[in-house]
Amino acid sequence: MSIESVRSFIRRMRTDKDFAQKVEEFNNNAAAQSAVIGAAGFDFTIEEFTEEMMNPENHVTDKELHDIARSMNKYIRIGEEQA
C-alpha cells in the first residue's frame, strides 16, 4: 500500500502542476509539507519514497527526479547513514 502511495504521489507530482506547486511552497517547512501530502491522501515513509525513487523501473527522468527530490529535500539526508 505504501509503495503504491509513493507511486501515486510521483504520478500526481508529474501531472498536477498545481499540486506540485503547493507541495513545493512548503519546502522550508517539513511539517506543513507532510500535512499537504497527507491531506491529499498519500501515506508513505521517507524510506519508501527513497526506495521507489531509486527504482529503475519507475522511469523517472533526471529532471523529474531532481524536481521531486528537491521538493522532498527536508526528508532526505544524502550522505548521512540511515538509522
Side-chain angles (χ1 to χ4, degrees):
M1 170 72 174
S2 295
I3 293 298
E4 185 54 41
S5 186
V6 173
R7 291 175 182 161
S8 294
F9 172 74
I10 292 168
R11 282 191 298 271
R12 184 141 181 218
M13 289 291 288
R14 286 177 167 168
T15 60
D16 185 341
K17 299 302 177 190
D18 291 334
F19 175 71
Q21 182 178 3
K22 187 173 185 178
V23 170
E24 291 175 10
E25 284 176 17
F26 295 101
N27 279 348
N28 294 322
N29 186 334
Q33 190 175 59
S34 183
V36 168
I37 293 168
F42 300 106
D43 181 26
F44 52 85
T45 66
I46 192 58
E47 291 81 13
E48 291 163 335
F49 174 80
T50 303
E51 178 182 329
E52 190 60 22
M53 289 303 294
M54 297 301 141
N55 180 350
E57 294 178 8
N58 195 17
H59 303 291
V60 176
T61 67
D62 286 344
K63 182 180 181 331
E64 289 171 329
L65 178 60
H66 173 77
D67 291 346
I68 294 169
R70 187 185 70 222
S71 296
M72 301 296 290
N73 70 0
K74 296 296 179 189
Y75 305 103
I76 300 172
R77 301 292 189 258
I78 297 175
E80 293 181 12
E81 288 187 31
Q82 299 293 318

